[in-house]
Amino acid sequence: MLPDIDVVTRDDLMRLITRYRLKPVKRLSQHFVVDPAVIRDIVEHVPSGSRVLEVGTGIGILTYYLARVASQVITIEIDGRLVRIAEHVLGGLSNVSVIQGDALRVPWPNTDVVVSNVPYSITSPLIMRIIKEGVPRALLTIQREVANRLASEPGGDDYGRLSIITQCNYSVGILSTYAPDSFYPSPEVYSSLVIMTKKEPCYRDMRILESVTNLLFRHRNRVLRWVLSKYLGPNAVNAVINAGIDVNARVRQLGINELVRIADSLRPFINHYGNH
């Protein structure tokens, strides 16, 4: 049994990792939380009695503290070696289920919150899965640079497809940022804790919005007219002008509401373009 969340120390967590002689697998981007502040920040934003899906169990440290506030924790871990350790660490907790598998592929249960100290290699696919599943809330520790992309405003250096698709479906906030030594082994970058809260989607057809943003953000610094002419032709330019959009704006300056209007006006062209 681990110490209470209010008193647990970094040394407590490092001792647990050392006891199991863990050698993290680089290919799986394994970095374990060893800073109690990270755990406290996450747990504080998990509503009491909620159903939690955790992606990446590790050895079960975060899982243990989630189980203290959640009614149920289902946690998915791809590494069988870690699953065996986690089952030992979590032994006796009746509200925890550990699943061995790839969290991007296995079916997800109905859940209130997704929590993950995200393996960096799966950050974007995991965020897209959260959006497609329509999870009400997500708490993710991710690379600071990716967190900045998620929360970025139009015109910003970090603004792009991931910002738009995420903000179309979720309110995004950056809760805190952590130094590399908050994790073991220390990654080469800072990490941020992001909260995503589901909202009414900005657009009904995500396939079209994804296709349009994929097309436009190939040339994010070009003016809209140039990109449309290159890929879709003059009729598409006219359709966007008729929707009241300034086609002389640069792609990276377009806000989500403008992109929604562009997506609507380009629907017939995108369907045709996709068939080629």
Side-chain angles (χ1 to χ4, degrees):
M1 184 176 285
L2 286 160
D4 282 349
I5 196 166
D6 295 331
V7 297
V8 66
T9 67
R10 178 193 174 87
D11 287 344
D12 292 327
L13 302 182
M14 280 305 300
R15 266 197 300 274
L16 190 61
I17 288 170
T18 308
R19 183 192 307 168
Y20 291 106
R21 297 186 176 86
L22 272 180
K23 288 194 172 68
V25 179
K26 195 168 187 180
R27 175 178 57 83
L28 297 176
S29 308
Q30 289 177 348
H31 299 278
F32 306 109
V33 179
V34 291
D35 181 354
V38 178
I39 298 170
R40 284 194 283 268
D41 289 346
I42 293 170
V43 170
E44 183 185 321
H45 288 87
V46 173
S48 180
S50 57
R51 293 162 301 169
V52 173
L53 174 66
E54 183 189 26
V55 173
T57 317
I59 66 168
I61 291 171
L62 176 57
T63 322
Y64 177 88
Y65 291 106
L66 289 170
R68 305 293 288 268
V69 295
S71 62
Q72 181 187 28
V73 180
I74 295 172
T75 180
I76 305 171
E77 174 55 58
I78 198 168
D79 186 341
R81 180 190 55 135
L82 294 184
V83 168
R84 289 186 288 278
I85 296 171
E87 285 173 339
H88 191 259
V89 171
L90 299 166
L93 292 177
S94 59
N95 62 336
V96 176
S97 305
V98 183
I99 296 171
Q100 183 177 348
D102 181 345
L104 297 178
R105 297 177 183 276
V106 301
W108 284 10
N110 210 5
T111 189
D112 301 313
V113 191
V114 166
V115 172
S116 184
N117 172 32
V118 183
Y120 291 155
S121 58
I122 68 164
T123 304
S124 291
L126 179 63
I127 289 166
M128 295 307 293
R129 175 87 190 256
I130 287 166
I131 293 168
K132 286 186 167 63
E133 295 280 346
V135 175
R137 177 179 292 199
L139 291 157
L140 311 173
T141 49
I142 57 179
Q143 277 179 268
R144 179 170 60 181
E145 290 74 14
V146 180
N148 291 341
R149 278 167 57 199
L150 285 185
S152 184
E153 299 290 329
D157 290 342
D158 299 312
Y159 184 67
R161 290 189 67 225
L162 193 60
S163 327
I164 294 152
I165 300 300
T166 306
Q167 291 176 33
C168 178
N169 295 277
Y170 285 80
S171 301
V172 179
I174 298 175
L175 297 175
S176 199
T177 296
Y178 310 104
D181 66 2
S182 296
F183 305 88
Y184 172 81
S186 299
E188 294 175 357
V189 295
Y190 277 69
S191 300
S192 293
L193 174 59
V194 168
I195 184 167
M196 294 168 49
T197 308
K198 188 165 171 48
K199 64 182 185 181
E200 190 66 31
C202 72
Y203 195 59
R204 66 190 178 280
D205 190 338
M206 289 309 296
R207 183 184 62 85
I208 292 288
L209 188 62
E210 285 184 42
S211 297
V212 167
T213 53
N214 182 37
L215 193 70
L216 298 184
F217 278 85
R218 292 177 193 177
H219 306 282
R220 66 191 304 278
N221 292 316
R222 291 278 195 169
V223 298
L224 179 58
R225 180 194 294 274
W226 184 92
V227 183
L228 293 174
S229 298
K230 176 177 174 64
Y231 291 104
L232 301 177
N235 290 340
V237 175
N238 290 333
V240 170
I241 290 171
N242 291 338
I245 301 293
D246 177 9
V247 291
N248 295 314
R250 296 193 184 277
V251 169
R252 62 181 167 80
Q253 296 170 324
L254 297 167
I256 290 177
N257 290 337
E258 292 171 297
L259 286 160
V260 163
R261 280 155 57 206
I262 292 168
D264 245 357
S265 60
L266 292 181
R267 180 180 286 271
F269 302 94
I270 288 293
N271 285 330
H272 180 71
Y273 177 79
N275 291 330
H276 283 276

